[in-house]
Amino acid sequence: MSRKLKSDAANVKRRKNNRAEYLKYQASDKRKAYRAELNAEARKRGIYGERESKGVDILHNDKTGKIKGVGSASKNRAAGARKGAKIRKKKS
C-alpha cells in the first residue's frame, strides 16, 4: 500500500472518530440544557427561527454563562475566536 493510501485511510478513521466525539458531546445533558436556554431566550425576544436570516445571535458571557443580549452572529463567533487566540498565546 502506498504512503498516500495509508494517509487517506488514517484521515478517514480520524474524521469518523471526531464525528463520534462531537455527537457524544452534543448529546450530553449539559449541552442540551445550554441549547434549550438559548432557544428559550430567542423565543422570548421574538427571533427564534429567524436568527440566520436576520444575522443575529444570542450573546452570552463565557465566564458566568449568563445571557448578555442579542447581537451580530458574526461578532459572536469572532469573540470565541479571539478568546481561543488569547488562550493559545498564554500557552506559548
Side-chain angles (χ1 to χ4, degrees):
M1 189 183 284
S2 71
R3 181 181 289 181
K4 179 159 178 45
L5 287 177
K6 285 182 185 177
S7 174
D8 289 345
N11 284 335
V12 168
K13 186 177 180 182
R14 204 172 300 124
R15 267 190 244 116
K16 284 182 181 178
N17 288 342
N18 189 34
R19 179 167 170 72
E21 284 295 318
Y22 181 76
L23 291 173
K24 183 179 172 184
Y25 173 71
Q26 290 298 335
S28 70
D29 292 338
K30 185 177 178 181
R31 294 307 296 175
K32 286 179 185 177
Y34 174 75
R35 289 194 308 273
E37 180 187 12
L38 293 179
N39 287 337
E41 187 67 23
R43 282 189 188 96
K44 180 178 151 187
R45 293 175 185 266
I47 60 171
Y48 183 77
E50 299 175 9
R51 288 185 271 185
E52 271 187 44
S53 63
K54 290 185 177 181
V56 295
D57 206 358
I58 303 295
L59 306 177
H60 56 275
N61 188 326
D62 288 334
K63 290 182 181 178
T64 63
K66 293 183 180 179
I67 293 174
K68 294 192 292 187
V70 177
S72 165
S74 62
K75 287 185 180 179
N76 197 25
R77 285 191 299 271
R82 285 191 300 274
K83 178 184 162 201
K86 288 177 186 175
I87 291 171
R88 283 190 292 273
K89 284 182 182 178
K90 286 180 182 179
K91 287 183 180 180
S92 298

